[in-house]
Amino acid sequence: MSNIRNKFDSEKDKFAGKTKETVGEATGSEETELNGKIQSQKGDIEEKIGNIKEKVAKKINDSINEKDE
């Protein structure tokens, strides 16, 4: 369940960030544009961390399963 929540949060940050970035560009607000870029990057990083966690968990589970056999 946590994995689904993390994916949702990272996608939400990427979408909100891109929206802020676009609004900042349209209004000429450098600060809003920058905040949007930062939030979008945060979503990308969260997604990458989530993927790494999944890979590590899979390797650990595979290792435990091999020992059980």
Side-chain angles (χ1 to χ4, degrees):
M1 186 70 161
S2 173
N3 187 35
I4 293 171
R5 174 96 176 150
N6 289 339
K7 286 183 181 184
F8 175 78
D9 287 343
S10 67
E11 288 300 319
K12 179 184 71 169
D13 279 335
K14 288 194 285 187
F15 178 77
K18 291 292 183 187
T19 302
K20 286 180 186 177
E21 185 178 347
T22 301
V23 169
E25 289 173 356
T27 61
S29 172
E30 295 289 329
E31 184 177 352
T32 301
E33 184 179 350
L34 176 60
N35 286 336
K37 288 178 180 180
I38 290 169
Q39 187 170 6
S40 182
Q41 288 296 314
K42 177 185 173 198
D44 288 338
I45 291 168
E46 287 172 345
E47 182 178 10
K48 289 175 184 175
I49 290 171
N51 290 338
I52 291 168
K53 286 180 180 179
E54 281 295 311
K55 288 178 183 177
V56 169
K58 181 179 180 341
K59 288 186 183 247
I60 291 170
N61 282 329
D62 290 347
S63 177
I64 291 170
N65 288 341
E66 286 178 9
K67 288 181 182 179
D68 288 342
E69 291 176 358

